[in-house]
Amino acid sequence: MAADGNKRKRPNILVTGTPGTGKTTTSSALAEATNLRHINIGDLVKEKNLHDGWDDDLQCHVINEDLVCDELEDVMEEGGNIVDYHGCDFFPERWFDLVVVLQTDNTVLYDRLSKRGYEGAKLSNNIECEIFQVLLEEAKESYSEDIVKALKSNNIDDITRNVSSLTDWIRSWPPTS
């Protein structure tokens, strides 16, 4: 559990993984099932202009991690948040009680990303990240391994099962140990 977890009445969860693994779908469904607040970092960066410009090669904003953390500090202290982002190493460790890393088989992920219009370096970089489990390793290096949970996210049945198990975890929070 996060160091400040005992001050919060509701947990904070980070849902991370390579783009296309179902973070937003899972986070939205989980927020609806639990009445926790869903914070999509990509949307927040665009809405609040928390970036340093546009990366033409990767076709995405270059987020300003300090601005994102400053924007989220108070709401994270309150608890009750599901943060949805494809990176995890810049968030303060104290913010999260659970870090969920969604993983998808490469063939499924390739099809999802291709349908989104990913191509070239953007497509190959993301597939390589999944093959080498970059996000899982990043999560394990950034947070206590006992709060990092890898979940398969290949299809709607996986997502439904994940939402159900995470909902059970939230309902039993905080742990009694």
Side-chain angles (χ1 to χ4, degrees), residues 1-32:
M1 183 165 69
D4 293 345
N6 58 354
K7 296 178 186 174
R8 295 191 291 264
K9 295 193 181 336
R10 305 211 64 201
N12 287 326
I13 299 171
L14 174 61
V15 178
T16 190
T18 306
T21 55
K23 294 177 301 298
T24 300
T25 301
T26 299
S27 296
S28 296
L30 185 59
E32 189 173 314

Side-chain angles (χ1 to χ4, degrees), residues 6-110:
N6 58 354
K7 296 178 186 174
R8 295 191 291 264
K9 295 193 181 336
R10 305 211 64 201
N12 287 326
I13 299 171
L14 174 61
V15 178
T16 190
T18 306
T21 55
K23 294 177 301 298
T24 300
T25 301
T26 299
S27 296
S28 296
L30 185 59
E32 189 173 314
T34 61
N35 292 317
L36 295 184
R37 179 186 304 114
H38 175 204
I39 302 170
N40 180 310
I41 297 298
D43 291 346
L44 182 72
V45 165
K46 287 181 230 162
E47 289 166 13
K48 303 276 187 164
N49 207 27
L50 306 175
H51 59 82
D52 294 326
W54 183 259
D55 183 320
D56 285 327
D57 292 334
L58 296 177
Q59 298 184 356
C60 63
H61 287 103
V62 178
I63 75 163
N64 182 313
E65 296 171 353
D66 291 332
L67 291 177
V68 170
C69 289
D70 289 347
E71 180 70 26
L72 291 175
E73 184 68 45
D74 291 341
V75 75
M76 295 304 291
E77 227 174 87
E78 292 170 19
N81 301 292
I82 301 165
V83 175
D84 159 5
Y85 191 58
H86 61 264
C88 67
D89 61 348
F90 69 92
F91 296 116
E93 184 177 2
R94 71 181 183 280
W95 279 4
F96 298 106
D97 304 290
L98 182 65
V99 177
V100 176
V101 181
L102 297 180
Q103 298 180 306
T104 301
D105 290 339
N106 299 324
T107 53
V108 174
L109 185 62
Y110 185 93

Side-chain angles (χ1 to χ4, degrees), residues 147-175:
I147 70 163
V148 176
K149 184 173 189 153
L151 297 175
K152 274 288 172 212
S153 184
N154 290 320
N155 54 49
I156 194 67
D157 290 338
D158 289 343
I159 292 169
T160 301
R161 191 170 28 259
N162 292 342
V163 169
S164 177
S165 70
L166 293 169
T167 298
D168 289 346
W169 181 89
I170 291 164
R171 289 187 177 139
S172 68
W173 191 87

